[in-house]
Amino acid sequence: MDLSSLRAELQTLANRAAEIDRKRGESAKPLFDERLFSCLARLLTPCVSEAKSVVDTIEREQASGRLSAMRAEHLCEKLVNQIGALQREMATLAIRQQEKALAPKTGASISQLYQDLAQHQGWERRLEDMIRDAEAKLGQYASFAEQQQAQKQLLALEKRLSRCREARQKIESRISFRERKG
């Protein structure tokens, strides 16, 4: 059984894991279940090392003639699951960072909330002005294509205004909750 391609894949994963670990740092809790990785690591690099040790075990037991079919199946299944989990973790990293950035700021001070509110109110006024301008220009276009394009832009502005108002209302709710809470 030639495991050189698996070793190359694991080396690629090790390089990416080291880079991610440097950027992200240690996780608050273990990244994977203990049935998948016994090391219960809070970084990716030890998990990749554990997967490499599974490959070492396969090669060692194969070379000594102790690798039974059931043992080989178990180790290969474990290795496939480990590699898949590592790849998924690395692939979804960007998505989780976006979610974290978009998550509500629970630790935001009341003054920060008021600043956010003022910013959203300013955006809301500007969007309302842009919508009025777009509506006024709508009847001035000569061709049907220009009118359609203007209507699309108007619709986009209205959607932006709607999202801005929703965000403003959420901020206002957080402010009133904080003020009631004390």
Side-chain angles (χ1 to χ4, degrees), residues 33-161:
D33 186 82
E34 62 192 24
R35 288 170 289 188
L36 187 58
F37 289 99
S38 60
C39 64
L40 293 175
R42 297 167 191 263
L43 296 170
L44 289 170
T45 305
C47 297
V48 175
S49 297
E50 186 174 325
K52 284 181 177 180
S53 74
V54 173
V55 173
D56 293 341
T57 302
I58 293 170
E59 286 179 333
R60 190 175 50 252
E61 289 184 13
Q62 184 182 14
S64 68
R66 295 180 303 160
L67 187 64
S68 69
M70 277 184 57
R71 175 85 171 143
E73 183 180 340
H74 167 74
L75 289 173
C76 289
E77 184 177 329
K78 181 175 184 172
L79 186 60
V80 166
N81 290 336
Q82 287 178 333
I83 290 173
L86 287 164
Q87 289 171 334
R88 280 190 303 279
E89 176 70 19
M90 291 177 190
T92 59
L93 184 65
I95 295 169
R96 276 186 268 104
Q97 286 174 337
Q98 285 178 343
E99 287 175 347
K100 191 188 293 184
L102 295 175
K105 302 171 199 160
T106 55
S109 68
I110 194 84
S111 63
Q112 179 62 48
L113 289 172
Y114 274 112
Q115 288 175 0
D116 290 350
L117 178 61
Q119 186 176 42
H120 279 76
Q121 288 170 334
W123 289 337
E124 189 175 351
R125 281 190 298 275
R126 275 181 279 184
L127 285 168
E128 287 169 345
D129 291 342
M130 291 167 72
I131 288 172
R132 276 193 295 277
D133 292 345
E135 287 173 340
K137 291 180 185 176
L138 194 58
Q140 298 173 358
Y141 294 109
S143 74
F144 180 70
E146 288 176 329
Q147 284 181 350
Q148 269 192 318
Q149 183 63 32
Q151 284 177 335
K152 284 181 184 177
Q153 289 173 346
L154 179 62
L155 183 62
L157 285 171
E158 288 172 344
K159 286 181 180 179
R160 283 177 60 193
L161 178 61

